[in-house]
Amino acid sequence: TIAITGATGNIGSQLVQRLLSADADLTLLVRNPDKLAESVRSRVKVQQGELQDTDFVRQATRGATALFWLSPGDPTSLDVHAWYENVGATVAQAVQSNNIAHVVNISSAGAQRSDAGPVSGLGQVEKHLNGTNASIVHLRPGFFMENALMQLGALRAQSSYFAPVAGNIPFPHIATQDIAEAAARLLLELNWTGKSIHGLHGPADLTFDEAAAIWSEATGRALHFVRITPEQALQASLGMGFSPAFADAYLNLYLALARPGAVAEPRTPETTTPTTLAQWAGTVLKPALDAAG
């Protein structure tokens, strides 16, 4: 049995489809089962609960031979470090007490840093998992192409994507379908041991200015990247309901990942995934923008 968290999200939902295509035996840990398609619910075991609940995670993963773990975030948290400490301890306790042999953990590029807000929190989770007896692969993907969808309204109304970093800093951009593919391959093979970190970098390192030009070409719209001030970024996060602590941590994430050396894993043929930003923008971003009006 493979236990899966985040099954209704961008990565998890695509992972589930790949594993079901291989007839894998799945247990899905979800907060809201109604978000699962009936075609999925009828083929899996569903456990409903919260991933920060130690007793729930331990009970829901009992009997699992492998675990796909995607750490939940909490934008309302008053202590971001404490939140990820709890999440890390929760998954590590479940893995250890249930003798789960293999774990694929979704981390992030930059998780080795101590100043990157929620990304540093994922580094805390890595450390907790490394304290277990399980074989672990920490996947550290770059910037999700799907992050653009978080600003659909701004892209539609203002033709702009906003972030508190310079537009000329390159960073690996990756489609979540390629992260799901990498995770599926590991979970179906289970021929690996030890503890390791795998970078996932998409096909290219791109600046936000370059990304906006690619979005424009793929969607037929003149889209732009706009650098905002740290204060503007904080106010935007607070306006979305983030706690002051999480808003500050989210700003630090951007600032830290813009610094040299943020991506510790070198790009290699193994870390380079196939989906280009142009392909993704044409098949995902364009329909989303068109549907938004």
Side-chain angles (χ1 to χ4, degrees):
T1 299
I2 304 172
I4 306 289
T5 67
T8 60
N10 280 323
I11 300 171
S13 60
Q14 297 178 90
L15 173 63
V16 167
Q17 292 298 332
R18 284 165 169 76
L19 296 178
L20 287 178
S21 295
D23 293 324
D25 179 13
L26 303 184
T27 296
L28 308 187
L29 284 64
V30 296
R31 178 186 300 161
N32 185 359
D34 291 340
K35 291 185 177 180
L36 294 170
E38 180 55 38
S39 60
V40 170
R41 275 199 302 250
S42 63
R43 298 183 60 191
V44 303
K45 181 178 180 181
V46 176
Q47 298 277 9
Q48 182 176 10
E50 301 284 346
L51 295 183
Q52 67 271 26
D53 182 334
T54 301
D55 290 337
F56 164 70
V57 175
R58 184 170 54 245
Q59 179 276 327
T61 57
R62 191 169 293 136
T65 54
L67 169 66
F68 172 80
W69 183 259
L70 196 156
S71 296
D74 180 10
T76 66
S77 173
L78 301 180
D79 188 332
V80 178
H81 179 85
W83 171 266
Y84 283 100
E85 277 297 296
N86 177 64
V87 168
T90 292
V91 62
Q93 288 177 32
V95 168
Q96 194 70 3
S97 64
N98 291 329
N99 294 313
I100 299 173
H102 292 86
V103 179
V104 175
N105 173 49
I106 298 296
S107 185
S108 172
Q112 80 283 355
R113 300 188 66 98
S114 62
D115 57 354
V119 164
S120 297
L122 297 179
Q124 295 169 235
V125 175
E126 287 186 10
K127 291 176 183 177
H128 279 282
L129 283 168
N130 285 343
T132 70
N133 295 330
S135 294
I136 314 281
V137 173
H138 303 291
L139 295 178
R140 287 188 177 178
F143 189 82
F144 293 1
M145 295 177 188
E146 279 78 1
N147 287 344
L149 300 176
M150 297 172 63
Q151 296 194 32
L152 270 182
L155 287 169
R156 183 68 184 87
Q158 299 169 267
S159 300
S160 298
Y161 182 91
F162 300 91
V165 293
N168 62 352
I169 298 173
F171 201 75
H173 283 60
I174 185 168
T176 56
Q177 67 183 33
D178 291 346
I179 304 171
E181 181 63 33
R185 186 166 56 251
L186 289 165
L187 290 165
L188 292 172
E189 292 174 352
L190 295 184
N191 59 356
W192 38 275
T193 58
K195 310 231 176 8
S196 61
I197 293 169
H198 291 194
L200 292 174
H201 297 146
D205 291 0
L206 298 168
T207 69
F208 278 119
D209 286 337
E210 290 169 336
I214 293 169
W215 296 337
S216 299
E217 179 70 22
T219 64
R221 300 167 182 258
L223 302 176
H224 309 280
F225 171 74
V226 177
R227 183 181 188 180
I228 57 176
T229 67
E231 180 59 29
Q232 287 173 318
L234 280 173
Q235 291 304 315
S237 293
L238 292 171
M240 293 189 292
F242 289 14
S243 69
F246 198 90
D248 188 60
Y250 193 66
L251 171 63
N252 287 337
L253 180 160
Y254 269 100
L255 299 180
L257 296 185
R259 297 186 181 112
V263 181
E265 299 71 43
R267 178 180 287 279
T268 67
E270 289 72 32
T271 73
T272 300
T273 53
T275 305
T276 68
L277 184 58
Q279 290 169 332
W280 177 85
T283 58
V284 178
L285 182 59
K286 185 180 189 305
L289 283 171
D290 293 345

